Amino acid sequence: MAEVIDGKSVAEDVVRSVKALTAELVVKGKAKPGLAVVIVGEDPASQVYVASKSRTAKECGFHSLQHTLPAETSEAALLKLIAELNADPAINGILVQLPLPAHVDAGKIIQAIAPQKDVDGFHFINVGKLGTGELDTAFVPCTPAGSMLLIERVRGKDLSGLNAVVVGRSNIVGKPMASLLLAANCTVTIAHSRTKDLPELARTADILVAAVGRPEMIRGDWVKPGATVIDVGINRIPAPEKGEGKSRLVGDVAYAEAAKAAGAITPVPGGVGPMTIAMLMANTLASAYLAAGLKRPSF
């Protein structure tokens, strides 16, 4: 059976490091990192995510702000708040929780965030920096950044000579994941719903990243023996065996099958998921270090 990659443990390591480096920053007489989280409306899932992000920021010793706005907040009012946060020297990271209400243009809001405070890594400036290999100053989206850290824990930082297949081409995970793997000297293929002979292509991968949002799509016989499998998917499916109306979480990989072939694999839950908030904290800390004229820390 494959090594189980414990994302929860790695995420806890990252948060511990962020906490220690934050204390170090304060000892040097610099301002503590500041994270502002903006949520519009009352989507229950968003409320849970935002509460978790704010709680972790406080645990890290950050200056943590939360702006909870009513669903009817206008686009103009939201842009005004973003401009105020951009100008606030106590704030290093700005995160606008998605989705936004239908009357607000999410793209316009994201691009209004100052690139150096865009700790979600969605601004076109950060997308461009990542795509051109300017990783020293780029902010990378948190899920692929966390996935990359898990890969490095298994394979090391230099992935020269390895083939990677990323299944999924989203701007949030698939494309940035491919850029990170390319920067680590992988030979990278991005696959998607229109890819011909996807199982055959997947079997060429030393590193296989699944980010398609389809429950258990990647089967065990798609996995090259000894491959590192990173399952970014999180899907809720019916679980009648647990009782009527019950459900369970699964990834995009058929875990039990894939674990028989893989060398290492992330579980769902407990794999990539915990890394996302940890890397948000790491990005916010990096922004504070860069704002203070210091070299950003690596994890």
Side-chain angles (χ1 to χ4, degrees):
M1 289 291 284
E3 173 195 346
V4 178
I5 304 170
D6 185 351
K8 189 169 182 289
S9 172
V10 177
E12 286 169 356
D13 284 349
V14 170
V15 170
R16 266 195 299 272
S17 295
V18 169
K19 194 174 177 179
L21 288 163
T22 297
E24 211 173 279
L25 198 62
V26 173
V27 165
K28 288 176 179 173
K30 307 293 184 183
K32 65 168 79 169
L35 176 64
V37 180
V38 180
I39 180 169
V40 183
E42 297 179 355
D43 178 68
S46 292
Q47 296 278 0
V48 171
Y49 295 145
V50 164
S52 184
K53 289 166 183 174
S54 297
R55 189 168 56 248
T56 308
K58 286 172 185 166
E59 182 190 336
C60 289
F62 290 2
H63 168 53
S64 177
L65 283 182
Q66 183 174 322
H67 292 269
T68 305
L69 307 177
E72 61 272 17
T73 300
S74 69
E75 188 178 280
L78 190 49
L79 286 168
K80 181 173 181 289
L81 174 60
I82 298 297
E84 289 167 1
L85 293 171
N86 282 341
D88 186 348
I91 297 299
N92 302 105
I94 302 168
L95 183 146
V96 177
Q97 184 65 40
L98 302 176
L100 290 169
H103 67 276
V104 176
D105 182 342
K108 187 186 286 188
I109 299 300
I110 296 303
Q111 298 311 315
I113 297 171
Q116 68 273 20
K117 297 189 179 188
D118 166 41
V119 287
D120 255 341
F122 296 159
H123 194 285
F124 292 150
I125 295 288
N126 286 313
V127 172
K129 283 182 174 183
L130 173 59
T132 53
E134 291 292 325
L135 296 181
D136 286 345
T137 57
F139 290 106
V140 177
C142 301
T143 299
S147 299
M148 195 65 194
L149 199 55
L150 296 180
I151 292 168
E152 289 172 354
R153 293 289 174 109
V154 177
R155 295 279 190 170
K157 286 186 180 288
D158 186 359
L159 306 178
S160 296
L162 298 178
N163 290 326
V165 173
V166 180
V167 187
R169 54 178 167 179
S170 74
N171 293 330
I172 293 172
V173 180
K175 290 173 186 171
M177 190 77 240
S179 293
L180 288 170
L181 289 162
L182 196 59
N185 300 319
C186 261
T187 300
V188 183
T189 304
I190 301 179
H192 47 79
S193 59
R194 303 286 179 90
T195 299
K196 187 180 176 184
D197 297 329
L198 181 54
E200 187 179 330
L201 179 63
R203 279 190 287 271
T204 67
D206 301 299
I207 297 167
L208 179 61
V209 181
V212 283
R214 295 188 185 178
E216 301 183 323
M217 175 182 160
I218 311 293
R219 311 309 303 186
D221 61 0
W222 296 25
V223 177
K224 179 180 180 180
T228 300
V229 179
I230 304 295
D231 191 350
V232 180
I234 184 157
N235 312 283
R236 192 168 287 281
I237 62 168
E241 72 281 1
K242 294 168 72 175
E244 190 178 342
K246 297 289 186 182
S247 62
R248 62 189 177 95
L249 292 176
V250 298
D252 291 347
V253 177
Y255 181 84
E257 296 176 16
K260 293 174 183 174
I265 187 169
T266 59
V268 175
V272 173
M275 295 299 297
T276 301
I277 290 179
M279 297 316 291
L280 173 65
M281 300 304 128
N283 276 352
T284 305
L285 179 77
S287 177
Y289 265 68
L290 291 170
L294 302 169
K295 185 182 177 185
R296 72 188 291 169
S298 58
F299 294 89

